[in-house]
Amino acid sequence: MTQKKLAGAGLRDQVAGKTAICTVAAHDHSGLTYYGYNVEDLAEHCKFEEVAYLLFNGELPNRQQLQAYQAKLQGLRDLPRPLKEVLERIPADAHPMDVLRTGVSMLGNLETEKDFSTQREHADRLLAVLPSIVTYWYRYSHDTVRLDIDTDADSIGGHFLHMLHGQAPSALHEQVMHVSLILYAEHEFNASTFTARVCASTLSDFHSCIAGAIGSLRGPLHGGANEAAMAMIENWQSPIEAEAELMAKLKRKEKIMGFGHAVYRDSDPRNGIIKKWSKKLAEEVGDTQLYPVSVRCEEVMWREKKLFCNADFFHASTYHFMGIPTALFTPIFVMSRISGWAAHIFEQRADNRIIRPNAEYIGPAVRTVLPIDQR
Ligand code: COA
């Protein structure tokens, strides 16, 4: 019998399947592409809906296709009454990620995927409806407002900001949302996407795959890091204080949220992009604290540990400058990553084999059950 080789902890550096959707750190431990397009290129030239279309179809849309797609998504934003009733029962101190998970799960009861021929319709529906779910609950539970879901915004990010703030966002804020949602859209076999693929591999339904993925994304080692980074930097009044506190944390061997990555070695290609927008927003709101604190954290972490900001770190200040409550940071990640999750569910289903690895056994040797009064 051949000896099985134990996979690296956390399946690090293991190839767990094939994908045509995305590359992460494929060249010299750097770079991120969606269907062959560099993320920098997409973030500079595209709207998020173009990228979602790319992830669902493998090609970017032309102008007519994009307009038709945006109009379709606009028509899919409304919430069924029973879903609103469920959302109205969730308390204000619930975590919005739990609200999204429940919202998706409830929708799975109301609009069940009966067979895979409708998978694309379910993907579009969830892409369109997630901002409505989280903002409807947020405004009802915090302000007792029953929001009218119908905003004029033709973009997902614009709709989210309009629902949240009760007014149309500025062109700048809508553009930042496009960039942010593009950066978060897809990332190969990360934990939440792998969760979705494992679930899909059992031939389970679309909503179950997405609910499971939301649960994986919620943790601070994954999507929850943007929220955790904000909770950390908002305590620090100046770069000097940030540096002192950060050094103390490193001495205590604490993990610093928003830094490091399981795959990239020297930098995360998404960081430079979102950092630029954070700086622009800092200038817009006249910030003299949060952005300089963030920059000092970046400098200290590189100097002390050669650790770099991942996509989450400058997203914290970016979202904060747009008046988004911290608890809604990770749900925005869901509103975006649903596009990547869906693409991977389609891909898994198109060439499926149930995902079922082995474990190296480290428990007791085989033994006999003693009668209960002899144990
Ligand atoms: N702060 C402090 N030290 C860190 C660190 C961080 N954010 N990230 C990694 N390290 C250290 C580890 O403690 C470890 O040191 P050691 O060898 O002395 O034990 C070393 O760097 C290697 O890190 P490791 O935890 O093995 O990397 P990983 O691939 O298992 O984990 C992350 C990757 C992303 C989970 C990890 O970097 C992390 O927890 N980051 C903070 C959470 C975060 O921002 N998540 C979002 C990811 S996009």
Side-chain angles (χ1 to χ4, degrees), residues 1-5:
M1 202 177 82
T2 53
Q3 182 82 25
K4 277 198 201 87
K5 209 172 166 197

Side-chain angles (χ1 to χ4, degrees), residues 164-359:
L164 181 64
H165 296 314
Q167 61 183 42
S170 67
L172 172 63
H173 289 193
E174 194 167 7
Q175 189 181 358
V176 174
M177 286 303 294
H178 277 301
V179 171
S180 167
L181 296 174
I182 289 170
L183 296 182
Y184 272 146
E186 165 54 12
H187 218 222
E188 199 222 34
F189 279 21
N190 59 88
S192 58
T193 301
F194 199 59
T195 303
R197 286 192 80 128
V198 170
C199 191
S201 83
T202 71
L203 302 185
S204 188
D205 68 289
F206 201 86
H207 298 86
S208 295
C209 298
I210 300 301
I214 292 173
S216 288
L217 191 72
R218 188 190 195 292
L221 295 189
H222 192 7
N226 55 17
E227 209 177 305
M230 186 67 214
M232 180 180 73
I233 57 178
E234 72 185 350
N235 294 318
W236 300 334
Q237 314 296 318
S238 69
I240 292 172
E241 185 184 356
E243 176 155 359
E245 293 292 331
L246 210 48
M247 293 298 285
K249 279 176 174 289
L250 290 176
K251 204 167 171 195
R252 295 194 296 270
K253 299 215 171 303
E254 285 180 30
K255 276 253 167 93
I256 312 300
M257 295 300 147
F259 286 87
H261 200 271
V263 183
Y264 299 120
R265 289 287 169 270
D266 303 317
S267 67
D268 181 329
R270 301 165 296 181
N271 177 53
I273 303 170
I274 200 63
K275 183 182 174 188
K276 194 183 80 183
W277 289 100
S278 173
K279 184 166 191 278
K280 202 172 177 65
L281 290 172
E283 285 159 9
E284 185 199 44
V285 301
D287 168 77
T288 53
Q289 185 176 320
L290 201 58
Y291 185 78
V293 159
S294 303
V295 170
R296 181 65 66 92
C297 291
E298 184 178 35
E299 289 164 0
V300 171
M301 289 298 284
W302 184 254
R303 185 188 74 210
E304 296 297 320
K305 303 276 289 181
K306 290 285 170 281
L307 282 169
F308 53 89
C309 296
N310 56 46
D312 293 314
F313 191 69
F314 277 94
H315 259 108
S317 50
T318 301
Y319 290 158
H320 183 81
F321 293 144
M322 291 195 291
I324 300 171
T326 305
L328 297 185
F329 289 5
T330 316
I332 302 175
F333 199 154
V334 177
M335 286 160 35
S336 161
R337 186 57 62 84
I338 177 77
S339 57
W341 291 335
H344 280 273
I345 294 167
F346 301 162
E347 191 177 57
Q348 182 66 37
R349 286 173 168 180
D351 184 17
N352 188 57
R353 191 172 189 198
I354 189 166
I355 297 173
R356 203 302 188 189
N358 294 90

